[in-house]
Amino acid sequence: MKKIYKGRVTEVKQAATDLYYIKISAANFSANAGQFISVLCDNCTLRRPFSVMDCENGVITILFKLKGKGTNYIKNLKEGDDIDFSGPFGNGFSLTDKRSLIIGAGVGVAPVLFLKKEFDKKGVESRIIGGFLNKDAIPANINLDMISTDDGSLGKKGSIVNFLKDEIKNYAPYRIYACGPSIVLEKICETASQYGIQTQIAMEKEMACSIGVCRGCAITLKNGKNATVCKDGPVFSGEDIKW
Amino acid sequence: MVDLSVNLNGLILKNPILTASGTYGYADEYDDFLSVKNIGAIVTKAISLEPRSGNTGRRIMETDAGMINSIGLENMGIKAFLENVLPKLEEERISYIVNIAGATFDEYIELGKICENSRIRAIELNLSCPNVHAGCLEFGTDEGSLYSLVNAVRNVYSGKLIAKLTPNVTDITKIAIAAQNAGADLISAINTVKASGVRISYVRGKFYQERINGGLSGMGIKPVALRAVSSISEAVNIPIIGMGGISSLNDIFEFISVGADAFQIGTANFTHPTIAEDLVNQLAEFIEYNGFASYEELKNKIREDIKNE
Ligand SMILES: Cc1cc2nc3c(=O)[nH]c(=O)nc-3n(C[C@H](O)[C@H](O)[C@H](O)COP(=O)(O)OP(=O)(O)OC[C@H]3O[C@@H](n4cnc5c(N)ncnc54)[C@H](O)[C@@H]3O)c2cc1C
Ligand SMILES: Cc1cc2nc3c(=O)[nH]c(=O)nc-3n(C[C@H](O)[C@H](O)[C@H](O)COP(=O)(O)O)c2cc1C
Ligand code: FES
């Protein structure tokens, strides 16, 4: 059930340039891949939404990128500090039992790493690939089946979308899951649809309430209807999105 | 249990803490966090005659001490509300007030009639809506058009009529007097403050602007709201529901001191989803701990002490 949790910070650790992990212990909290929590930050009117990257035995991991007031507040938290967050929010990914390709771009790898773990637990075959700016932008201690960097400093050189066609041909996935910048998601959906492959993508939008009431995060779908990223999403079928 | 009840010109509520339109959905959306039925009343999201899909593009932006919204009154329309939501409100015994928004004069009257026929106990007229027949000027910015509008709704609606005022006017006392003369039972204030949110970034030698024009709410508007409520209370004798940046018991005392009789909590619900019920409990505890008999007694005490200062 959605509620406010008073968690305890167990670790804040740098993961890459401007990227950090925070681990929060919060009894009884559980979430599915693709769901998010909203963190209360000092001197901020609005809570900050973050995807759950892992959640096991009452410990939540978040991977976050430094941006402004809120993420700097979180970065400066210390082990043992209290952290107020609410959740879990959103629909999360829906898993298939068929072979899937999972793509994370930048900090967008966070929710899809959780998804990969869920696939592995279910014993469903999947392949996870990630695209980053350069080698310094790759979070430490993550396992990916293929990496690309824009400058070629690690893995293949170029945007991850450039390798998508080959990935599809070689791996022949039934479905593609992705999270990352909007422009990357758009290209992934475009390519996937050329091959007739379904997509599930996790979107981002500025949020106020996180529960579907303020309508601040609404987007218009292809069918003309409005959907909220916080409650109807953040995971959508790529086919439904009007880019 | 302490007596927190209020009689606002005949509108009787179990306590003076309400939740503001647009921040609480239509009914029990916050029930995961608290018991919505313990709140004095929820005010629904603005409801129009026809469903509206609202504005496209950026709809919210956080500011230094609040947020700006430009939702554009996205809502399900009165028909769906009556069919799908009203039974739930009644069944769950949630105390509610329906916030209504028209695009034209006639739409407000039509909405008033529908609420009358549906025996809705109280409606709040959102007077910050652009009048499409008058150059999209807000109904609530001109005392003449506000008077005609409130009066016309008054003639078709016999429940409790609340006029919700916009702060975006030259002299809010004139507007408040017009609302009272037109037959409003209560005044609520303030709606959001007209504002622009701007973010500038400088990327690879080029400046970029992100911008939203909309209504400012939250902590930053509390001083504007206190001034407005104060002016209104000097001008009229009907009860006032104060709002604008309320997020603590002390804020409530400040609003009482300038003339508010009840309160709405808006943006603070986003930050602290349990705040409405927390404030009900804190108010009860304060009253009990300090030996007052009731909320009414506390309210009078605050006002008397200030008068004698
Ligand atoms: C469903 C969802 C999941 C997310 N998951 C992650 C994650 O796992 N890791 C991560 O690093 N980031 C994630 N984000 C983005 C993250 O919420 C923002 O980076 C963060 O709110 C920035 O806060 P700030 O105060 O540091 O930045 P500021 O720019 O100072 O924030 C100002 C305002 O804009 C909002 N905002 C700024 N950027 C974004 C954004 N990209 N998306 C939504 N709101 C934004 C803030 O919440 C705040 O209200 C997610 C966003 C959403 C909607
Ligand atoms: C996202 C959002 C949506 C709102 N929608 C409405 C609305 O539909 N009708 C209305 O009368 N006021 C609306 N308001 C204004 C609030 O009801 C309230 O008057 C204002 O936010 C000031 O209170 P606050 O500072 O506590 O938020 C909205 C405010 C916000 C933040
Ligand atoms: S953040 Fe309020 S509707 Fe999504």
Side-chain angles (χ1 to χ4, degrees):
Chain A
M1 198 175 81
K2 296 192 282 279
K3 59 177 220 162
I4 296 178
Y5 288 83
K6 305 282 178 196
R8 181 148 301 223
V9 177
T10 61
E11 190 179 18
V12 183
K13 195 170 72 181
Q14 184 150 19
T17 306
D18 286 347
L19 268 186
Y20 290 81
Y21 292 117
I22 181 167
K23 285 189 192 291
I24 302 164
S25 111
N28 303 324
F29 178 85
S30 69
N32 300 320
Q35 290 189 298
F36 66 96
I37 61 172
S38 291
V39 178
L40 183 67
C41 301
D42 254 12
N43 296 317
C44 296
T45 296
L46 301 177
R47 286 172 178 261
R48 289 349 191 209
F50 297 97
S51 308
V52 177
M53 177 179 148
D54 193 49
C55 176
E56 198 157 323
N57 305 324
V59 178
I60 308 161
T61 309
I62 301 288
L63 172 68
F64 66 96
K65 192 177 167 134
L66 280 192
K67 200 158 180 226
K69 221 166 32 172
T71 46
N72 274 287
Y73 163 80
I74 300 172
K75 187 202 101 179
N76 291 327
L77 289 171
K78 299 277 174 288
E79 186 188 336
D81 283 350
D82 292 333
I83 180 166
D84 176 316
F85 69 92
S86 53
F89 298 121
N91 54 1
F93 293 104
S94 73
L95 270 67
T96 155
D97 50 11
K98 302 198 182 79
R99 169 209 294 251
S100 295
L101 179 65
I102 301 172
I103 310 172
V107 68
V109 292
V112 296
L113 282 163
F114 192 10
L115 178 68
K116 171 70 181 159
K117 193 169 162 183
E118 288 191 348
F119 269 114
D120 289 350
K121 264 195 192 149
K122 277 186 66 174
V124 177
E125 194 189 337
S126 64
R127 173 177 166 81
I128 183 166
I129 63 176
F132 304 89
L133 220 52
N134 54 47
K135 72 173 192 323
D136 298 327
I138 304 172
N141 306 319
I142 61 166
N143 286 317
L144 299 172
D145 296 318
M146 189 278 264
I147 285 176
S148 82
T149 52
D150 289 2
D151 68 353
S153 51
L154 202 110
K156 295 189 178 170
K157 182 176 167 140
S159 162
I160 193 76
V161 293
N162 298 349
F163 304 101
L164 191 53
K165 283 186 179 165
D166 285 344
E167 286 285 337
I168 290 173
K169 281 182 209 147
N170 297 335
Y171 192 66
Y174 166 75
R175 191 183 278 170
I176 294 176
Y177 294 85
C179 182
S182 174
I183 177 86
V184 173
L185 296 179
E186 182 178 354
K187 291 211 171 110
I188 290 173
C189 291
E190 195 184 294
T191 308
S193 80
Q194 287 165 11
Y195 289 86
I197 299 172
Q198 294 178 2
T199 46
Q200 277 204 10
I201 53 169
M203 310 266 289
E204 267 183 20
K205 192 97 183 169
E206 267 184 62
M207 293 179 174
C209 71
S210 302
I211 56 171
V213 305
C214 77
R215 315 304 295 176
C217 68
I219 56 171
T220 309
L221 299 178
K222 257 191 201 148
N223 65 10
K225 294 214 169 87
N226 282 357
T228 55
V229 173
C230 67
K231 185 159 182 263
D232 305 318
V235 178
F236 293 93
S237 288
E239 302 84 74
D240 294 341
I241 301 294
K242 198 164 96 186
W243 295 103
Chain B
M1 189 58 198
V2 200
D3 180 12
L4 295 182
S5 67
V6 282
N7 181 340
L8 304 164
N9 207 359
L11 176 66
I12 295 166
L13 303 174
K14 56 183 163 294
N15 64 61
I17 312 290
L18 292 77
T19 52
S21 179
T23 66
Y24 230 65
Y26 300 98
D28 61 359
E29 287 89 331
Y30 277 81
D31 252 345
D32 280 341
F33 298 103
L34 49 76
S35 259
V36 174
K37 67 176 188 323
N38 293 341
I39 299 170
I42 67 158
V43 183
T44 67
K45 171 80 195 153
I47 295 172
S48 49
L49 207 50
E50 300 297 330
R52 289 205 209 166
S53 56
N55 293 337
T56 53
R58 179 187 268 281
R59 286 180 163 197
I60 50 174
M61 189 186 276
E62 193 186 52
T63 62
D64 294 336
M67 64 177 284
I68 295 175
N69 87 80
S70 164
I71 309 293
L73 297 180
E74 176 181 357
N75 79 94
M76 59 172 72
I78 189 82
K79 191 160 169 281
F81 174 77
L82 294 176
E83 277 169 20
N84 306 329
V85 182
L86 200 60
K88 189 173 2 178
L89 286 163
E90 297 288 351
E91 189 186 321
E92 296 180 16
R93 299 178 171 279
I94 293 171
S95 167
Y96 63 90
I97 292 167
V98 177
N99 182 285
I100 67 173
T104 62
F105 192 89
D106 292 342
E107 269 189 39
Y108 277 100
I109 297 170
E110 190 56 34
L111 284 160
K113 282 184 189 158
I114 295 171
C115 291
E116 174 73 11
N117 294 336
S118 309
R119 297 200 171 77
I120 307 257
R121 167 168 82 136
I123 62 178
E124 183 180 65
L125 295 181
N126 178 352
L127 298 165
S128 304
C129 306
N131 180 349
V132 295
H133 290 163
C136 286
L137 214 74
E138 293 173 22
F139 286 98
T141 52
D142 168 78
E143 64 217 76
S145 65
L146 178 133
Y147 178 89
S148 327
L149 182 66
V150 174
N151 194 245
V153 177
R154 175 76 293 170
N155 291 336
V156 297
Y157 179 71
S158 62
K160 292 299 158 193
L161 184 59
I162 307 169
K164 182 170 179 180
L165 305 190
T166 165
N168 305 316
V169 295
T170 317
D171 183 359
I172 203 162
T173 56
K174 286 190 184 140
I175 305 283
I177 291 166
Q180 174 172 276
N181 291 343
D185 298 301
L186 295 104
I187 283 174
S188 61
I190 57 174
N191 212 315
T192 53
V193 178
K194 219 182 241 188
S196 286
V198 176
R199 285 187 198 155
I200 291 281
S201 52
Y202 183 61
V203 185
R204 291 187 199 105
K206 192 170 161 20
F207 287 96
Y208 295 87
Q209 185 199 53
E210 272 182 274
R211 174 169 182 157
I212 181 172
N213 291 333
L216 181 64
S217 65
M219 229 160 65
I221 69 166
K222 197 181 73 176
V224 179
L226 288 168
R227 178 66 184 261
V229 169
S230 171
S231 305
I232 296 165
S233 82
E234 281 162 20
V236 301
N237 50 36
I238 52 179
I240 303 167
I241 306 176
M243 78 192 94
I246 296 179
S247 69
S248 70
L249 194 57
N250 205 62
D251 292 340
I252 284 176
F253 295 166
E254 291 173 13
F255 273 83
I256 292 176
S257 79
V258 296
D261 303 286
F263 321 91
Q264 287 183 21
I265 317 299
T267 303
N269 295 307
F270 302 152
T271 328
H272 304 286
T274 58
I275 187 127
E277 197 178 30
D278 293 347
L279 288 174
V280 173
N281 294 334
Q282 287 169 23
L283 185 61
E285 276 162 31
F286 185 91
I287 288 169
E288 197 158 26
Y289 185 80
N290 292 287
F292 297 106
S294 63
Y295 166 70
E296 280 303 323
E297 194 181 301
L298 167 72
K299 189 179 92 181
N300 294 334
K301 167 83 171 151
I302 293 176
R303 300 219 182 123
E304 264 162 40
D305 284 356
I306 286 163
K307 216 177 346 178
N308 300 332
E309 251 169 30

